Amino acid sequence: MASLAQGLTASDMTNMAQEESDGPLRIEITGGQVEAMPVAVAPFFDEGGAGDLAARIQEVVTADLTGTDLFREIPVSAHVARPEGFDAPVAYPDWRAINAEALIVGAVSLRDGRVTAKFRLYDVFSGQPLGDGMQFDADQAGWRRVAHKVADQVYARITGESPYFDSRVVFVSETGPKDARLKRIGIMDYDGANPLWVTDDSALVVSPRFSPDGSQLLYTSFQNGLPQVMLMDVATLSAWPLKQDAGTMSFAPRFSPDGRWIVYSREQGGNTDIWQMDVATGAERPLTETAAIETSPSYSPDGRRIVFESDQSGSQQIYVMPADGSAEPTRLSFGEGSYGTPAWSPKGDLIAFTRRNGDKFHIGVMRPDGTEEKLLTESFLDEGPTWAPNGRVVMFTRQTPGGDGTPRLHSVDVTGRNMRPLDIEGAASDPDWGPLLP
């Protein structure tokens, strides 16, 4: 997505006032209950030409951190004193007095259309910086990416987890009445900002999926009447059919982790199987050949296995097989009801899925061997989970009941905490979370 890259660069800074330390400050987020860490974010300094941009970057940094429900902002009105400058020594007793555990100090400048933001993170109780200070530079239009990068660094240093704020989500925007929805594909920041429309609503489109590096999209289009997998170059927005075979339908595509392969469902002669295509040559072959309906394939992060849904047992269930189709699939799901739309976590430790039991839908997770199943949500209709790049958060579609039911995007932490709707205008569905941006 070259038009959105904004030429962002990063560099470390030497802390001038104190020795650096990795300190004891840390949030442990392995359990289901975590007390939010009180964090003070000092008003970011304007170091030249920034104007209100310093405050806007600070607001995004704070929103990213508090949106995880792992951090609690101490309001500026409660601050005892403000740092005299970005490089000024930190008066730790002033911050301990308001029970801050971490302090973020930042500064922003704007020169010749380039925005520069720098920050330092301090462990208040140990009285030491937590890691190096860092500086990010980008075109002015990329100021939100700069803010996300700052928040990513703070999040990673305190939690020990990989970051995910500077990432994007591809989704389907929906307008019009429920029985005649118009759909188009958009790409946005992870928090719903900066939507970019990559298709119009002249044809029905569903199931967009990023390539591993975010430079391409797979999606299913009905522009010729039957579902057909399309491949798009995101930089140019040019798109073409993955394969054109008269009388067949293709849908539910997904890239392999190395981008070499595409797996998808292909219907031919009334039978639906999982197929695999070599991206470079276009050569394709079936991975399953049964009388069942098999769809929604998803690779393991090492590319060695594929999880998918099949009704071969009589109801929709989740199965796993070698990525080359060399062995019979193994059934993973055995709970009440039906299972579908499996998605392997980027960390490889969990598989997310949709489960329907009676009149309720759930988003859940299980281990790759089918054990330790845990339901994260429950509602009238929850479906289609997708993972944040760090494997800690799941985004999905939730639809409200009734004849005018509307789909919205929601997210939930993998522990089942912090359920929240995405702040995006209008109806939306089919999210796919892209990689962390460079």
Side-chain angles (χ1 to χ4, degrees), residues 91-120:
Y92 290 105
D94 290 343
W95 301 103
R96 295 188 189 107
I98 59 173
N99 296 318
E101 295 185 23
L103 168 66
I104 302 169
V105 177
V108 180
S109 64
L110 180 62
R111 296 181 180 89
D112 301 323
R114 297 283 294 179
V115 59
T116 298
K118 55 187 179 180
F119 82 98
R120 289 194 177 108

Side-chain angles (χ1 to χ4, degrees), residues 17-29:
Q18 290 93 2
E19 291 292 325
E20 295 169 22
S21 169
D22 288 331
L25 187 66
R26 183 60 58 92
I27 294 178
E28 298 292 340
I29 54 178

Side-chain angles (χ1 to χ4, degrees), residues 13 21 41 78 105 112 122 128 153 176 182 194 196 220 247 250 261 280 298 306 314 323 368 385 425:
M13 300 183 305
S21 169
V41 184
V105 177
D112 301 323
Y122 298 93
Q128 296 287 344
Q153 286 295 313
L182 299 176
N194 294 331
L196 169 71
T220 302
S250 59
W261 306 98
S298 174
I306 293 173
E425 183 177 353

Side-chain angles (χ1 to χ4, degrees), residues 354-375:
T354 301
R355 178 177 171 184
R356 181 178 183 178
N357 188 14
D359 60 355
K360 296 294 185 182
F361 280 76
H362 310 266
I363 299 297
V365 293
M366 65 172 64
R367 295 295 179 187
D369 61 0
T371 61
E372 298 183 39
E373 179 178 324
K374 180 178 182 178
L375 300 180

Side-chain angles (χ1 to χ4, degrees), residues 1 19 38 48 57 63-64 130 188 190 195 223 238 277 323 397 399 402 432:
M1 236 156 100
E19 291 292 325
I57 289 176
D64 284 347
L130 190 62
M188 61 185 174
Y190 95 100
Q223 64 182 5
S238 58
M277 176 181 286
T397 304
Q399 182 162 310
D432 185 57

Side-chain angles (χ1 to χ4, degrees), residues 18-285:
Q18 290 93 2
E19 291 292 325
E20 295 169 22
S21 169
D22 288 331
L25 187 66
R26 183 60 58 92
I27 294 178
E28 298 292 340
I29 54 178
T30 55
Q33 296 295 325
V34 178
E35 184 176 351
M37 174 181 287
V39 175
V41 184
F44 280 20
F45 294 97
D46 177 358
E47 291 196 335
D52 66 351
L53 195 56
R56 283 187 284 160
I57 289 176
Q58 177 189 335
E59 288 172 1
V60 172
V61 171
T62 303
D64 284 347
L65 295 173
T66 57
T68 66
D69 209 31
L70 299 174
F71 302 91
R72 173 176 59 83
E73 180 193 14
I74 297 176
V76 174
S77 59
H79 296 185
V80 173
R82 176 180 174 177
E84 295 181 0
F86 181 75
D87 292 320
V90 173
Y92 290 105
D94 290 343
W95 301 103
R96 295 188 189 107
I98 59 173
N99 296 318
E101 295 185 23
L103 168 66
I104 302 169
V105 177
V108 180
S109 64
L110 180 62
R111 296 181 180 89
D112 301 323
R114 297 283 294 179
V115 59
T116 298
K118 55 187 179 180
F119 82 98
R120 289 194 177 108
L121 174 64
Y122 298 93
D123 181 341
V124 172
F125 289 129
S126 71
Q128 296 287 344
L130 190 62
D132 292 330
M134 288 197 73
Q135 176 174 299
F136 299 96
D137 302 271
D139 296 339
Q140 185 174 353
W143 68 269
R144 295 190 91 258
R145 279 205 62 197
V146 168
H148 291 320
K149 285 294 188 188
V150 171
D152 272 337
Q153 286 295 313
V154 174
Y155 173 89
R157 294 178 189 190
I158 295 180
T159 66
E161 296 277 342
S162 299
Y164 68 94
F165 302 128
D166 188 28
S167 59
R168 296 197 174 100
V169 174
V170 62
F171 68 105
V172 174
S173 170
E174 303 190 16
T175 58
K178 188 175 182 180
D179 59 351
R181 286 271 164 83
L182 299 176
K183 299 188 178 186
R184 58 178 176 166
I185 295 175
I187 299 174
M188 61 185 174
D189 294 357
Y190 95 100
D191 56 3
N194 294 331
L196 169 71
W197 306 111
V198 298
T199 70
D200 58 27
D201 58 12
S202 60
L204 180 65
V205 287
V206 296
S207 304
R209 298 290 182 263
F210 274 116
S211 63
D213 65 359
S215 67
Q216 293 180 308
L217 287 179
L218 292 167
Y219 63 96
T220 302
S221 172
F222 288 76
Q223 64 182 5
N224 295 323
L226 295 177
Q228 179 72 53
V229 174
M230 303 289 289
L231 179 61
M232 174 183 285
D233 181 277
V234 175
T236 65
L237 303 188
S238 58
W240 54 95
L242 188 67
K243 191 77 172 179
Q244 289 183 308
D245 291 324
T248 68
M249 296 185 288
S250 59
F251 50 94
R254 199 179 293 267
F255 282 97
S256 63
D258 61 5
R260 178 183 175 186
W261 306 98
I262 293 172
V263 285
Y264 58 97
S265 291
R266 175 173 170 173
E267 188 276 338
Q268 187 172 4
N271 189 45
T272 301
D273 286 304
I274 305 294
W275 283 64
Q276 182 184 66
M277 176 181 286
D278 186 313
V279 174
T281 67
E284 59 180 347
R285 66 187 182 95

